[in-house]
Amino acid sequence: MSSELAGTETVETNNAKIGPNLASKNKWFEPGLLSLLLLIGLALRLFNLNRTSLWWNEVNGIGAVQNRSFGEALGSFDKYILHPTLFRGILQIWISLVGIGEPVRLFSALAGVATLAVVYYIGRGWLGQRTAFTVLALLTISPLLLYWSQNIEVYAFFILLVAISMLLVLQVNEYPPQNWRWAIYGVSAAALIYTDYLGFYVILSQLVFLGITLFKNRANLLRALLTFGLVGLAYLPWLGNLREHFRMSREFYAFIPVRWGISQILEALNYQLFWFVPKSLGFVAGGIFFPLYGLGLIWLWQNSRKLAILLSCWSWLPLLLIWLGGRLRLDFLAQTSQLAFCTPGFLLVVAAGIWALQDWLKFAPYVALGLALLISGLAYLNYSQNYWQQEWRGLVGEVRGQQQAGDTILLLNPQNLTAPTFDYYYLLGAGANNTLERRSLDLYQDAPSQIRDVFKDKKRVWVVSWYTGNSDFENARKTLESNLPSGYSVASYKEYQSSQQGLLGLTLYANKSN
């Protein structure tokens, strides 16, 4: 690796200045410690993997590929699933191997562990062993990465693809005449934008990096432009679907007010880095991580400007580009947890900043590392103890345990969010002869007549409601109550609270006159 790119020669020299490599006297120490940390990372991602039910976003993703072939899943388009199709194809293969149910989340857990290995490889090759182990430890207990590693959604896979693509862009920058490296990088770039639309911001950030570092060599710059041109051609088959998703996203997120200011970036940074940090420790976390990040960026700029530029293009430039494009694509900054793909780049810089402290005080890096791990550990505990999703298993289990022949289930889901998830658990493992009639209330039709039809000649009706503060759901509940036929009263009511996704309510209405 070239010294100009902060490869082994330059970085190892600086590591000697900061401190010797951990494994200098024992050749088995490094693989042993690496294996231990990866096993811890896997254990944390498997721990309580199924403690919460699948929620509607996960169920919709599974439903999009269930009972389809790989080709059908890969070629499918759903205007309500605002992602390209690559992940759905891979998910179809995975489901064909492990089946459906919460264990399908194991794919995300494995993707999360693979991300740890890739980032360690980057840190080890370009920043040295000690910094690599530091970033690996921080990523292992990063609650935001753990969160996505315990959800069967696109983001754990996307974070892995971003890490791989960043590794490849480093390699093509170091060996630009080797065309086969550009071909592999081009495949990774195409995979990014066929997995999630945020991939465009990653590629644009990489284009900035390559433009800055290769602009003096026209041949290498031409290789970069040709690669991006071929990636664009490969994306042409999806372009019409992109336009449709763009239109749908503008409609779906129309209720989100336009925010345009530095406070929006600060909010996104806080959400990306400290989402699960207890609020009482938010300022402490910022006071530890951001100075270390700044120090790390300065150290990198002094020792390897190319690496400093690359990690800037990984850790904060996508956020800036998304913010600048916020008026066109509001949902990206509304869902700031999706920016977790920036976290590995951020923590690589933090790790460099931790060991740069030894230039001033010998034991300062150990204190900084201890504080960073302590904050991350407290954030993980906060996540594991206080975060849970919608408890569909418990709700459906209550219906199954108490249902009687002739009962009807009414799902209050004006946006069709409740029915797929309820049906997923209700039909999973329940024989066809042991299921009740399930109806939905559509507020945009004649709701009173629908309610009369559902309750007509029924002795008992189960009503499943989801209270989120959204007016549509509240209106559904009020519409039901105001049009409830005479003779019906509440026989039982249970709540299933979610820390992030509102309240599920299960009400049993009984007609004592029947």
Side-chain angles (χ1 to χ4, degrees):
M1 300 176 189
S2 65
S3 60
E4 186 181 14
L5 189 57
T8 303
E9 180 181 344
T10 296
V11 174
E12 290 300 321
T13 300
N14 282 283
N15 274 349
K17 180 181 179 181
I18 294 175
N21 278 334
L22 295 173
S24 57
K25 296 182 180 180
N26 188 338
K27 65 178 181 178
W28 298 108
F29 184 83
E30 180 174 7
L33 182 57
L34 174 60
S35 299
L36 176 62
L37 288 175
L38 291 178
L39 285 174
I40 292 174
L42 177 61
L44 290 176
R45 282 150 180 80
L46 295 180
F47 178 68
N48 279 336
L49 183 64
N50 301 329
R51 70 190 174 106
T52 61
S53 305
L54 298 172
W55 68 297
W56 69 269
N57 225 21
E58 294 177 286
V59 169
N60 284 348
I62 294 173
V65 302
Q66 197 174 353
N67 301 321
R68 288 184 172 182
S69 67
F70 170 74
E72 290 172 338
L74 194 63
S76 64
F77 172 73
D78 189 327
K79 65 180 181 179
Y80 296 106
I81 300 179
L82 301 179
H83 299 289
T85 189
L86 179 59
F87 178 71
R88 289 200 288 278
I90 294 174
L91 184 59
Q92 188 280 331
I93 297 175
W94 182 251
I95 289 176
S96 69
L97 295 174
V98 304
I100 60 175
E102 287 91 346
V104 76
R105 288 173 172 161
L106 180 61
F107 176 83
S108 293
L110 295 176
V113 175
T115 299
L116 300 182
V118 173
V119 176
Y120 174 82
Y121 182 84
I122 294 173
R124 182 65 177 92
W126 280 269
L127 288 170
Q129 183 193 88
R130 181 168 293 187
T131 304
F133 276 123
T134 299
V135 72
L136 179 58
L138 292 172
L139 286 172
T140 296
I141 58 175
S142 168
L144 185 53
L145 266 62
L146 278 163
Y147 167 73
W148 286 125
S149 294
Q150 295 187 323
N151 281 267
I152 187 59
E153 295 188 63
V154 69
Y155 300 108
F157 180 62
F158 181 69
I159 294 167
L160 172 60
L161 288 182
V162 171
I164 293 173
S165 186
M166 289 297 178
L167 169 61
L168 293 173
V169 83
L170 270 172
Q171 292 178 338
V172 298
N173 184 279
E174 188 164 332
Y175 306 104
Q178 298 181 357
N179 293 328
W180 65 271
R181 293 185 183 273
W182 286 101
I184 296 176
Y185 166 69
V187 171
S188 77
L192 284 176
I193 55 177
Y194 266 108
T195 300
D196 192 275
Y197 293 126
L198 288 171
F200 283 107
Y201 293 101
V202 177
I203 292 177
L204 185 57
S205 300
Q206 294 172 340
L207 181 59
V208 170
F209 165 71
L210 292 172
I212 293 174
T213 55
L214 298 179
F215 77 97
K216 291 183 179 180
N217 189 313
R218 292 185 178 181
N220 293 335
L221 190 58
L222 182 61
R223 288 186 176 93
L225 294 176
L226 179 61
T227 300
F228 287 113
L230 292 174
V231 170
L233 288 176
Y235 202 73
L236 286 179
W238 190 259
L239 200 57
N241 296 332
L242 169 64
R243 288 195 294 266
E244 179 63 17
H245 274 166
F246 182 84
R247 185 186 67 81
M248 284 299 301
S249 69
R250 294 294 299 271
E251 294 180 5
F252 190 74
Y253 292 96
F255 65 92
I256 300 176
V258 174
R259 295 172 297 166
W260 192 255
I262 191 64
S263 62
Q264 190 181 17
I265 292 185
L266 295 176
E267 177 185 337
L269 283 172
N270 176 71
Y271 203 88
Q272 175 200 343
L273 302 171
F274 308 126
W275 183 15
F276 296 108
V277 172
K279 291 184 178 180
S280 59
L281 296 177
F283 283 105
V284 177
I288 293 173
F289 280 92
F290 285 121
L292 288 173
Y293 179 85
L295 180 61
L297 209 56
I298 293 172
W299 183 88
L300 287 169
W301 185 258
Q302 293 172 343
N303 292 272
S304 171
R305 293 187 178 182
K306 287 185 178 180
L307 192 58
I309 296 169
L310 185 280
L311 292 180
S312 296
C313 291
W314 188 352
S315 57
W316 62 264
L317 185 58
L319 171 62
L320 179 62
L321 295 173
I322 294 168
W323 173 69
L324 292 173
R327 296 198 176 200
L328 298 176
R329 186 74 174 164
L330 298 177
D331 60 310
F332 283 164
L333 276 184
Q335 308 292 327
T336 44
S337 61
Q338 299 171 3
L339 300 178
F341 68 88
C342 296
T343 301
F346 178 88
L347 291 179
L348 273 166
V349 179
V350 168
I354 287 174
W355 293 106
L357 286 171
Q358 197 157 351
D359 288 341
W360 288 277
L361 187 62
K362 182 178 180 180
F363 296 104
Y366 302 98
V367 175
L369 176 59
L371 290 173
L373 290 174
L374 177 62
I375 291 295
S376 298
L378 291 173
Y380 169 72
L381 290 176
N382 185 47
Y383 160 67
S384 63
Q385 295 177 3
N386 299 313
Y387 184 90
W388 59 94
Q389 294 169 330
Q390 300 157 340
E391 184 46 51
W392 287 102
R393 281 179 310 208
L395 185 147
V396 170
E398 178 70 18
V399 174
R400 280 186 180 166
Q402 304 296 327
Q403 67 184 14
Q404 298 177 7
D407 288 356
T408 294
I409 300 170
L410 175 61
L411 304 169
L412 297 185
N413 59 329
Q415 294 180 343
N416 199 34
L417 302 178
T418 311
T421 317
F422 181 90
D423 284 354
Y424 181 84
Y425 280 98
Y426 189 68
L427 300 178
L428 189 63
N433 296 325
N434 192 34
T435 58
L436 303 179
E437 177 189 22
R438 297 175 309 286
R439 304 282 296 274
S440 297
L441 175 62
D442 187 350
L443 287 179
Y444 303 106
Q445 302 295 327
D446 186 359
S449 66
Q450 293 179 70
I451 294 171
R452 288 193 299 269
D453 182 52
V454 169
F455 280 81
K456 183 180 180 181
D457 300 326
K458 297 296 190 304
K459 187 174 181 179
R460 304 198 322 167
V461 176
W462 297 89
V463 176
V464 180
S465 52
W466 179 13
Y467 307 116
T468 65
N470 184 289
S471 59
D472 282 347
F473 291 97
E474 297 301 322
N475 290 337
R477 178 181 59 83
K478 293 177 181 178
T479 299
L480 173 65
E481 293 176 349
S482 61
N483 291 279
L484 198 66
S486 61
Y488 285 91
S489 60
V490 176
S492 66
Y493 175 73
K494 283 195 173 183
E495 293 182 350
Y496 301 85
Q497 181 68 48
S498 167
S499 61
Q500 296 290 324
Q501 297 164 346
L503 174 72
L504 290 177
L506 177 63
T507 308
L508 175 60
Y509 289 96
N511 189 342
K512 297 181 179 179
S513 63
N514 287 343

